[in-house]
Amino acid sequence: MFELIIQNPISSALIALVGLSLLFGAVLGFAAVRFKVEGNPIVDQIDTILPQTQCGQCGYPGCRPYAQAIVDGDAINKCPPGGQSTINALADLLDVEAPQLDAEHGTESEVKKVAYIREDECIGCTKCIQACPMDAILGAAKQMHTVIADECTGCDLCVEPCPVDCIDMIPVETTFKTWAWELPSINPIQLIASDKHQHTGEAA
Amino acid sequence: MALLNITSPHAHGPLSTSQVMRLVLYATLPGAFTLAYFFGVGVFFNLLIASVSALAFEAAVLKLRNRPIGFYLQDYSALVTAFLLALSLPPYCPWWLVVVGSFCAIVLAKQLYGGMGLNPFNPAMVAYVILLVSFPIPMTQWATPVTLDGAHAVSISEAINKIFGGQAIDGYASATVLDVMKQNASLALEEIYKSEPLLKSGYFASAAWEWVNIAFLIGGLFLLYKRIFTWHAPISMLIALALMAAIFYDNGSSNSGGSPLFHLLSGATMLGAFFIVTDPVTSAVSKRGRIIYGAAIGVLIYVIRVWGKGYPDGVAFAVLFLNFAAPFIDYYTTPRTYGHSKARIVIAKEKEANK
Amino acid sequence: MNTPVTSSVNSMIKVWEIPGGIHPPENKTQSMQLPLGSLPIPPQLIIPLNQHIGAPAKPIVQVGDKVLAGQLIAAADGTFSANVHASSSGTVSAIENFVLPHPSGMSGECIVIDTDGEHAFIATDACEDYLAVERLTLLDKIRAAGVAGLGGAGFPTSVKLNTKSTQKIDTLVINGAECEPYITADDMLMQVRADDVIAGTLLLSHILHHPARLVIGVEDNKPKAIAALQAAVKNARVTGKDSVIEVVAVPTKYPSGGAKQLIQILTGREVPHGHHSADIGATCVNVGTAAAAWRAVRYGEPLIDRVMTVVGESLTTQRNIDVLFGTPINYVLEQHGFDASKASRVVMGGPMMGFTLPDLRAPAIKTTNCIFAPSKKEAPTPPPAQACIRCGLCAEACPVSLLPQQLFWYAQAEDVDRLQAHNIFDCIECGACSYVCPSKIPLVQYYRAAKGSIRHHISEKEKADRSRQRFEFRKLRIEKEEAEKEAKRVARKKAADEAKALLLQKTAEQKAAAANQPLGATEANPVLAVPQVAAVVTALAKANSDQLGFEEQKARLERILGAAKNSLESARAPLVPKNLEFPITEEQLVRQQSRIKQCELKLAEAEKKLADFLATSAPAAEDPVAAAIARAQAKLSLSPEEKLRANIESLQARLIKSQEKAEQAKAENSPTANALQLGAEKMQQKLAEAQAELAELELFNQKQKTKPAVPAQAPISVEASAAEQAIEKAKAKAAALANMSDDEKRADQIQSLQTRLQKAKERLAKAEAENDANVEAFRTAMLNLEEKLNALLNP
């Protein structure tokens, strides 16, 4: 009987294949369990990429909820503070095509801004303090408030609630520490991807 | 007063890319004239057709890509490619062969990859291999050197008839020495040397070819002197080739692949060593990398020449193989940066970066 | 103690080689034709507070103060800073932002001195024998003199010399290599002030606890400087502890003058990545710095001037000068016959590493070793970059063995991770790669930009992480507050419920007992016992409410139910006369009936309570989330009509409440009365809106009903279309914004300002009417808005 099974090409092949698949399956299964890499949950990875301004321009109460929403299938182009670079990074992470920023949620501002309270006009209503998602405004009722500039993300959520309109969003100044050269601009060498840019005239 | 505001340095070396390319063109001239001396005006026809068609193709593609044509034509890179291709094609081959070759080199191998500096394979060698595989017969028919008995110089009208009209010419078509070696693989070296006129009349290796190779060597040494490239790739290639020949010389028996000198001065060895292997775009970058790159090409040339079944010479194939391997070689030969204890493990860091 | 020094023999000293490097044309003869010169004192000195690496100094003079040359005008702010002194005598005319010598052309705080031309020096404190002084005092003297690295970086020298106890310095390298083309300032200094350099070297040797090797590295293209130094070494007075000063001629090759490169050449050691040279036992100090340190200690001279090369074909005079810090560059250029039409650019520093000056009013500072004003022929505008042909010349030229072309690709692609993997931060920006590049690619600019963007990325990342933490902490805090409030509320409710239940149970039991017991006994108890028990139970319940679990509550309710059943049973039991002498009276029967009824009621109540509890509390206790979801779903499943109705109901309830509150506040004459009244009014308005909406919806629904074809989808489509409309509106707005011309944008801005102004006015009026304390603030806000509006309207 055994010999018959062995002799028969079909049954022997079948047995060999089934045996092999079982073996490799077992090995792979073992490896999958034994060498499992504890990956960063995708929500955390997305959250890391988002700019953490917690401005809510995406329509979610903060960056992490938006990260969760992205995992649940929301679009990745709803973050104006992050701008195109964030969208690109997200697209890279999620392996999808990078869309343009959704203008419905706002436009990317070229300069980073921080809130500034004109302190002699502040009446100490604490409304901005409650609005600040970063706890970056210091003050108490009937006391003058001030913004901790280092912690301000420039979300401008504090501007609207102010009853005396004493909060300005002022651009962050470039200092000698933050200044850097820009990439060379006049550059006839271009990557293939930029072929779509039209060249006008001969060599620059 | 319009003062420039640009980053340092404010001084630049004298060498420019166009200049490099021009010097390479000049350096091919001794080889070209020697070829023409032995094989006649056909060489110049090849150079002319290749140059014109290569520039035309380059200009056409640049136009399609909306690039400044003048700016890019002035770097002479298309001309260099055309010269190298023309010098490796047999004289008196049909004109369309040269044009197809130029097309393959400029359009397929160079511009489609993004133009100068971005092509992974040597354009001239890609074109040569495509032609060799597609049109094996015209690609292996070389004229008999004029110095041999019974051969005569081909006149211009004859050449035109042959190139543009497809007519046969007298004394045309003999195989190169490498073909001879291949066809007579069963004989001992001495017997081949006795029987073959090409080999018999040679001083060091074979008639005509030894001089052509020496001429290219001179051109190469000129470039080396001008510091257009470093010695690492060409010299390591020549040494590797010679070493292989020495190891498998086998005292000139029927198993022998030929003497080291024979290999160094036959076929496209010197053209390859100083004009193809030194192409910076497609070769490894670091010094160590270039030594490996050159040596591997040398070994492969010998392997293809002696043990390969199909093709007599192996320079083009060997170069293309190593073009493939160049990024890989670069990867493992990155130099140790100042202040870093080990040669940097870029791989590990890149893996990290990929995460 | 002092012994004559022995001179070193140069040829015996081993010199290591650095990888890469280039040999650009030296161009050092032009500026060495003339002797070291000096300039007339400029009418105005602009002295920046930050001429060094580290924190800017703090000004200690006021505008209008008279200062003497060498007087401290700004004190170092912390250890990592340097003092700034007046370079000449005069009056402080301003302390304000002024353009600095920096490639960005940005401004920084400067002290401007209108000079009086007398150059009167402040009294200084000389020190004859530094060996008699504490090392720390010597460091203080150097710090007080404001000595910072004159080689180019401007590192505060006292910080560099104050090595950690773990760092044993065995080699002191004095850097006289000066490898940059054109610059000859150090060459000149070594020739004319060789004694100061040697004395300084010995001083530093003393401060650094006598390193085993004292090496002065000078490139072999400066034979005069080498000879001068060697002569000075012979004449110098050294202590027995000092090692022999070696003056080493190093092969001329750019960039051998980099501190790390020179240390490598002279010792063969490399400074490990992320470390300082002191970690490998070497300290490198520029010759000028050594001389300045010596003068600071010996004569108490603060650092107010330096040797600087003025060179370039657009000048008629090319030479080295002693320049006072704060001298405007255009003044220096004027004094050297600068022809602006000839010049292609003005560079501070040398041609390899210097930067172009966007504004020539910038002053010379401690790190200004050269002003290079080349003609257009000398430094032509660079041609446009060609393609990289991977020739590898850059990799060959790189003194730190990087792969410049790889870095170039990654910099173009802004691939931050790979740039770091290829050690971009080890790049010293020497420019050798750009120099040799046949395609004239501005490689160094790519690296600088890449480094900047990487730093930016890193700081952004740090800030984002911090922001996340803060935000999460805030969320946690708010949640905790909410949870506490909620817990309190629940606890209160529970306690009340339980007390009630217990009370009921007790009463029921009492009553049941009373039913079974002689009347006299029953009558006595409930009156007395029940309130007491209830109070105790309430207290207990309050105390325990937090710990009570669901099971316990359930069990309790079940017990109550059981008790109620029992009492009913007992109440229903036929009346058996306890005493035959007392027959069952009519009255007793009636009482029993009522008791039974009562017990039945209690039972029903208990049953209901248990059922309710099981229905509501059970899921809530087990899974609040699920409950919330269920509630939300219930809400969702409501039709829009129902939703509106619910909304209206809740609004009505809120309105009533707020009206009540307002009434109360009014009655109490509370200051919040007005606000509350306003709130109530708002609420009313909202209510009206909602009602109107409801009416509309009902009308719509009726219409829909008349069209039976689409009965079910109607509400959904309404909702969907509403959402779509909103989206459309927002999109249109965004698009409009994007397409708007500047004028339109302005108009938009004006409109929004006008609305804001309107609002502000209303607010102000209200505040005035109410005599609010903040009237003034509101008024300024309004005025500000008006001003803004006016500015926009009349640009």
Side-chain angles (χ1 to χ4, degrees):
Chain A
M1 181 64 190
F2 181 70
E3 219 147 86
L4 195 75
I5 293 170
I6 295 297
Q7 297 288 316
N8 185 327
I10 293 172
S11 63
S12 62
L14 214 60
I15 287 169
L17 284 176
V18 167
L20 281 175
S21 57
L22 282 177
L23 179 70
F24 286 126
V27 169
L28 286 175
F30 173 74
V33 175
R34 176 71 181 75
F35 302 110
K36 187 174 176 192
V37 181
E38 278 302 330
N40 213 356
I42 193 81
V43 182
D44 284 342
Q45 288 183 45
I46 294 173
D47 194 34
T48 317
I49 291 172
L50 293 175
Q52 305 300 327
T53 50
Q54 321 291 359
C55 62
Q57 289 182 65
C58 51
Y60 295 93
C63 292
R64 195 167 172 97
Y66 180 43
Q68 184 61 52
I70 289 176
V71 171
D72 296 339
D74 202 348
I76 60 173
N77 58 350
K78 294 185 172 180
C79 180
Q84 198 60 39
S85 61
T86 296
I87 294 173
N88 291 345
L90 286 173
D92 209 34
L93 174 71
L94 302 173
D95 206 13
V96 293
E97 199 74 9
Q100 290 286 309
L101 180 67
D102 190 348
E104 192 186 318
H105 294 272
T107 45
E108 187 179 357
S109 91
E110 289 125 44
V111 276
K112 259 185 75 81
K113 290 185 172 173
V114 288
Y116 172 77
I117 295 178
R118 290 196 301 277
E119 288 165 359
D120 43 347
E121 289 170 35
C122 173
I123 56 169
C125 68
T126 73
K127 285 201 171 109
C128 54
I129 296 183
Q130 288 155 31
C132 180
M134 220 84 298
D135 275 350
I137 301 180
L138 217 58
K142 302 282 173 195
Q143 305 291 320
M144 179 264 285
H145 305 337
T146 193
V147 177
I148 310 171
D150 274 353
E151 304 297 348
C152 177
T153 59
C155 67
D156 87 20
L157 290 179
C158 53
V159 174
E160 184 53 34
C162 179
V164 293
D165 208 28
C166 74
I167 303 182
D168 287 328
M169 297 305 295
I170 55 171
V172 182
E173 267 182 54
T174 316
T175 62
F176 286 100
K177 250 187 175 168
T178 54
W179 182 86
W181 283 94
E182 282 176 7
L183 283 177
S185 51
I186 311 161
N187 187 14
I189 347 165
Q190 256 148 20
L191 298 172
I192 300 172
S194 60
D195 272 10
K196 55 191 170 204
H197 297 302
Q198 294 283 317
H199 269 267
T200 49
E202 288 292 275
Chain B
M1 174 179 56
L3 288 177
L4 276 172
N5 190 22
I6 50 172
T7 192
S8 62
H10 306 282
H12 288 280
L15 212 58
S16 75
T17 299
S18 312
Q19 223 176 335
V20 169
M21 295 294 173
R22 272 208 304 278
L23 282 174
V24 173
L25 286 180
Y26 299 151
T28 58
L29 292 181
F33 280 110
T34 316
L35 267 176
Y37 172 76
F38 287 105
F39 299 104
V41 289
V43 177
F44 294 126
F45 276 102
N46 276 359
L47 284 175
L48 190 71
I49 298 168
S51 303
V52 170
S53 55
L55 289 176
F57 284 130
E58 176 105 336
V61 179
L62 286 173
K63 174 101 185 113
L64 284 175
R65 292 179 60 201
N66 274 321
R67 293 311 170 91
I69 296 171
F71 179 77
Y72 282 103
L73 285 189
Q74 270 167 25
D75 64 24
Y76 295 98
S77 62
L79 218 50
V80 168
T81 302
F83 264 52
L84 296 180
L85 175 65
L87 293 176
S88 46
L89 294 179
Y92 312 110
C93 63
W95 64 272
W96 51 263
L97 198 68
V98 186
V99 174
V100 170
S102 294
F103 175 82
C104 296
I106 299 296
V107 180
L108 296 187
K110 187 179 160 195
Q111 289 293 352
L112 286 190
Y113 285 97
M116 182 167 74
L118 298 167
N119 49 310
F121 304 109
N122 186 305
M125 289 302 102
V126 170
Y128 181 82
V129 165
I130 291 176
L131 294 180
L132 187 63
V133 174
S134 313
F135 313 102
I137 299 192
M139 281 299 285
T140 45
Q141 282 185 337
W142 276 76
T144 315
V146 288
T147 48
L148 284 190
D149 297 338
H152 68 93
V154 181
S155 74
I156 293 178
S157 59
E158 266 183 300
I160 289 173
N161 281 338
K162 170 69 189 149
I163 293 167
F164 296 101
Q167 288 173 18
I169 40 174
D170 290 341
Y172 181 78
S174 70
T176 64
V177 268
L178 290 168
D179 286 314
V180 173
M181 290 294 276
K182 195 143 250 180
Q183 285 150 16
N184 301 299
S186 57
L187 299 177
L189 278 188
E190 220 171 307
E191 294 166 39
I192 308 175
Y193 270 87
K194 265 184 208 157
S195 59
E196 277 298 322
L198 258 176
L199 286 164
K200 218 167 25 180
S201 60
Y203 290 93
F204 317 111
S206 67
W209 287 104
E210 56 193 19
W211 296 111
V212 170
N213 271 292
I214 287 169
F216 278 123
L217 172 64
I218 291 167
L221 291 178
F222 164 71
L223 290 180
L224 203 54
Y225 166 74
K226 280 280 181 187
R227 292 174 182 266
I228 298 305
F229 48 73
T230 57
W231 58 269
H232 302 84
I235 300 300
S236 67
M237 175 203 137
L238 294 178
I239 289 175
L241 179 61
L243 265 180
M244 286 296 285
I247 292 167
F248 297 102
Y249 183 59
D250 201 18
N251 256 333
S253 74
S254 59
N255 287 329
S256 172
S259 71
L261 201 57
F262 170 80
H263 275 284
L264 289 180
L265 298 179
S266 302
T269 304
M270 290 300 169
L271 178 71
F274 291 100
F275 295 92
I276 308 292
V277 171
T278 53
D279 170 21
V281 177
T282 55
S283 78
V285 175
S286 65
K287 289 175 187 170
R288 268 196 307 156
R290 283 186 174 165
I291 289 177
I292 296 169
Y293 176 81
I297 290 177
V299 170
L300 265 183
I301 290 174
Y302 186 84
V303 169
I304 297 171
R305 276 183 181 176
V306 177
W307 298 316
K309 287 283 176 254
Y311 298 98
D313 205 348
V315 174
F317 291 106
V319 167
L320 289 185
F321 267 128
L322 265 295
N323 286 169
F324 266 118
F328 174 77
I329 295 171
D330 281 343
Y331 208 66
Y332 287 98
T333 53
T334 44
R336 179 185 69 84
T337 307
Y338 174 97
H340 289 253
S341 56
K342 268 181 226 152
R344 128 193 68 204
I345 319 281
V346 178
I347 309 142
K349 284 192 184 170
E350 289 218 345
K351 267 187 196 157
E352 231 166 77
N354 280 333
K355 274 182 191 169
Chain C
M1 190 173 166
N2 291 338
T3 51
V5 77
T6 41
S7 155
S8 67
V9 187
N10 187 18
S11 56
M12 302 294 287
I13 295 157
K14 183 175 161 58
V15 172
W16 280 262
E17 228 201 309
I18 51 166
I22 51 172
H23 297 92
E26 287 167 19
N27 282 311
K28 291 203 183 229
T29 51
Q30 298 95 307
S31 53
M32 289 302 276
Q33 304 300 323
L34 295 170
L36 180 62
S38 59
L39 297 177
I41 291 166
Q44 202 171 52
L45 289 166
I46 301 152
I47 304 175
L49 298 179
N50 197 3
Q51 308 183 29
H52 48 267
I53 290 182
K58 289 239 156 87
I60 57 165
V61 287
Q62 314 272 312
V63 174
D65 284 4
K66 290 254 179 224
V67 291
L68 294 171
Q71 183 180 334
L72 185 68
I73 51 173
D77 183 17
T79 341
F80 215 97
S81 184
N83 283 345
V84 174
H85 302 80
S87 311
S88 186
S89 55
T91 317
V92 176
S93 64
I95 300 176
E96 61 185 25
N97 277 357
F98 215 88
V99 64
L100 292 187
H102 189 268
S104 66
M106 291 195 296
S107 301
E109 205 173 13
C110 298
I111 296 178
V112 183
I113 297 175
D114 288 341
T115 54
D116 55 16
E118 284 166 22
H119 203 56
F121 253 91
I122 198 165
T124 51
D125 176 21
C127 166
E128 283 293 336
D129 183 11
Y130 64 79
L131 294 176
V133 182
E134 276 280 305
R135 281 194 175 83
L136 282 177
T137 316
L138 291 177
L139 278 176
D140 276 344
K141 279 173 181 285
I142 293 173
R143 182 177 296 129
V147 180
L150 299 178
F155 197 91
T157 306
S158 56
V159 180
K160 188 184 258 189
L161 294 176
N162 195 5
T163 50
K164 289 183 218 148
S165 56
T166 48
Q167 298 164 330
K168 170 92 183 79
I169 303 299
D170 59 17
T171 309
L172 171 63
V173 173
I174 304 294
N175 187 346
E178 197 164 63
C179 56
E180 274 238 15
Y182 287 96
I183 306 181
T184 52
D186 287 350
D187 189 4
M188 181 58 85
L189 177 98
M190 287 186 284
Q191 288 185 33
V192 300
R193 293 182 192 155
D195 293 335
D196 283 353
V197 174
I198 299 300
T201 308
L202 293 172
L203 167 71
L204 299 186
S205 157
H206 173 70
I207 292 174
L208 293 168
H209 303 273
H210 309 285
R213 280 190 76 194
L214 305 174
V215 213
I216 303 181
V218 186
E219 274 193 346
D220 57 11
N221 59 358
K222 301 176 195 57
K224 278 188 191 164
I226 294 172
L229 286 175
Q230 277 171 338
V233 168
K234 278 202 189 97
N235 301 329
R237 293 156 17 118
V238 294
T239 67
K241 283 183 193 166
D242 284 318
S243 318
V244 176
I245 298 177
E246 309 162 35
V247 179
V248 184
V250 302
T252 300
K253 172 161 133 180
Y254 180 85
S256 59
K260 287 177 174 177
Q261 278 61 43
L262 191 62
I263 290 173
Q264 192 181 9
I265 290 170
L266 295 171
T267 69
R269 285 181 248 167
E270 288 181 17
V271 180
H273 175 76
H275 288 75
H276 294 291
S277 63
D279 296 329
I280 55 162
T283 289
C284 183
V285 178
N286 175 266
V287 281
T289 317
W294 163 248
R295 297 192 76 80
V297 169
R298 175 65 185 82
Y299 308 108
E301 265 180 31
L303 186 62
I304 58 165
D305 64 350
R306 67 161 297 148
V307 181
M308 177 175 93
T309 308
V310 187
V311 71
E313 280 175 10
S314 65
L315 304 167
T316 49
T317 318
Q318 304 183 42
R319 59 168 177 171
N320 281 294
I321 54 166
D322 246 331
V323 68
L324 296 172
F325 300 140
T327 309
I329 300 299
N330 48 10
Y331 179 78
V332 176
L333 291 171
E334 260 167 46
Q335 299 286 323
H336 289 83
F338 176 61
D339 183 352
S341 62
K342 263 170 127 186
S344 74
R345 60 194 102 169
V346 174
V347 177
M348 182 170 286
M352 296 303 293
M353 291 188 75
F355 53 88
T356 48
L357 284 172
D359 190 333
L360 295 182
R361 289 170 304 167
I365 57 169
K366 290 178 185 174
T367 52
T368 311
N369 52 3
C370 178
I371 297 294
F372 176 45
S375 66
K376 292 187 173 98
K377 209 180 100 207
E378 212 173 5
T381 308
Q386 286 174 295
C388 168
I389 54 167
R390 289 172 32 98
C391 63
L393 288 176
C394 48
E396 257 168 65
C398 182
V400 289
S401 307
L402 294 167
L403 288 177
Q405 61 196 19
Q406 299 296 92
L407 292 176
F408 162 60
W409 285 117
Y410 296 141
Q412 267 192 324
E414 295 186 54
D415 188 337
V416 173
D417 296 326
R418 281 202 175 71
L419 281 167
Q420 282 175 293
H422 282 85
N423 301 331
I424 190 170
F425 280 104
D426 286 295
C427 169
I428 58 169
E429 301 176 16
C430 66
C433 49
S434 301
Y435 178 83
V436 296
C437 180
S439 289
K440 309 289 179 242
I441 301 170
L443 293 165
V444 175
Q445 190 172 348
Y446 278 100
Y447 308 150
R448 285 180 172 155
K451 281 183 187 178
S453 78
I454 291 174
R455 285 198 197 102
H456 180 71
H457 257 96
I458 290 173
S459 73
E460 289 277 279
K461 182 104 195 39
E462 273 169 9
K463 184 161 185 198
D465 286 344
R466 219 170 49 226
S467 297
R468 182 182 304 118
Q469 262 179 8
R470 286 182 80 88
F471 179 64
E472 267 158 23
F473 184 78
R474 179 176 187 266
K475 233 167 54 184
L476 222 69
R477 195 195 74 213
I478 290 171
E479 266 167 26
K480 213 172 130 195
E481 278 168 10
E482 290 287 315
E484 271 168 15
K485 267 191 216 157
E486 178 69 14
K488 267 185 198 158
R489 201 181 59 77
V490 168
R492 264 202 308 273
K493 188 160 179 270
K494 207 185 279 167
D497 282 352
E498 265 162 30
K500 223 195 242 165
L502 259 166
L503 198 61
L504 287 173
Q505 186 190 357
K506 287 284 171 203
T507 350
E509 273 170 10
Q510 300 263 346
K511 283 192 178 156
N516 291 338
Q517 272 165 24
L519 280 171
T522 26
E523 266 158 16
N525 261 343
V527 189
L528 275 173
V530 169
Q532 276 172 5
V533 168
V536 171
V537 163
T538 321
L540 264 176
K542 250 187 196 158
N544 292 335
S545 62
D546 282 344
Q547 287 99 21
L548 280 182
F550 164 70
E551 285 303 326
E552 279 170 273
Q553 282 192 7
K554 195 176 148 198
R556 178 167 298 163
L557 280 171
E558 276 168 352
R559 261 205 317 279
I560 294 171
L561 185 65
K565 270 187 190 150
N566 282 342
S567 53
L568 181 61
E569 214 111 297
S570 63
R572 274 197 188 140
L575 282 170
V576 181
K578 285 210 166 144
N579 202 326
L580 286 172
E581 284 147 83
F582 290 96
I584 299 162
T585 58
E586 195 61 36
E587 199 194 342
Q588 266 177 323
L589 264 175
V590 172
R591 213 181 267 166
Q592 194 201 13
Q593 281 306 319
S594 73
R595 208 174 288 141
I596 287 172
K597 221 164 216 169
Q598 252 176 348
C599 282
E600 269 172 350
L601 266 172
K602 294 268 137 78
L603 181 64
E605 204 173 77
E607 255 171 343
K608 190 167 168 279
K609 231 172 223 166
L610 183 61
D612 274 356
F613 178 73
L614 285 177
T616 57
S617 311
E622 274 158 12
D623 190 358
V625 180
I629 290 172
R631 244 177 282 141
Q633 272 171 345
K635 228 182 197 175
L636 266 180
S637 64
L638 289 178
S639 78
E641 212 177 321
E642 282 167 326
K643 248 190 244 171
L644 265 176
R645 286 227 171 87
N647 199 5
I648 289 171
E649 260 165 49
S650 86
L651 272 175
Q652 273 165 338
R654 276 163 70 194
L655 175 61
I656 291 166
K657 226 186 240 170
S658 66
Q659 272 168 341
E660 270 168 19
K661 258 191 201 163
E663 290 295 322
Q664 199 187 344
K666 239 183 214 168
E668 287 166 16
N669 220 350
S670 150
T672 52
N674 274 317
L676 285 171
Q677 185 62 43
L678 195 78
E681 274 162 26
K682 252 190 203 162
M683 205 83 81
Q684 242 165 350
Q685 203 178 332
K686 255 192 203 167
L687 186 61
E689 270 169 32
Q691 273 164 340
E693 212 175 316
L694 179 65
E696 213 174 293
L697 193 66
E698 271 171 350
L699 202 71
F700 180 80
N701 277 353
Q702 266 173 359
K703 270 187 199 163
Q704 290 294 318
K705 268 175 204 154
T706 55
K707 285 185 240 162
V710 276
Q713 281 110 328
I716 299 165
S717 70
V718 170
E719 221 166 282
S721 68
E724 266 167 26
Q725 270 169 12
I727 291 173
E728 283 304 317
K729 230 190 253 169
K731 267 188 191 164
K733 200 178 160 199
L737 209 68
N739 293 330
M740 257 189 239
S741 69
D742 283 351
D743 275 352
E744 284 169 321
K745 259 183 206 165
R746 225 191 67 205
D748 199 53
Q749 251 174 325
I750 289 173
Q751 208 182 346
S752 89
L753 267 178
Q754 273 165 339
T755 15
R756 273 167 77 188
L757 182 62
Q758 193 56 40
K759 244 195 210 166
K761 272 184 185 156
E762 277 166 20
R763 231 182 261 146
L764 177 64
K766 210 180 92 197
E768 269 171 349
E770 289 164 15
N771 226 346
D772 195 299
N774 295 324
V775 162
E776 275 317 302
F778 284 122
R779 183 165 295 138
T780 16
M782 194 205 69
L783 289 177
N784 277 348
L785 273 172
E786 251 175 359
E787 212 169 285
K788 262 191 208 171
L789 190 60
N790 281 337
L792 258 178
L793 287 171
N794 318 308

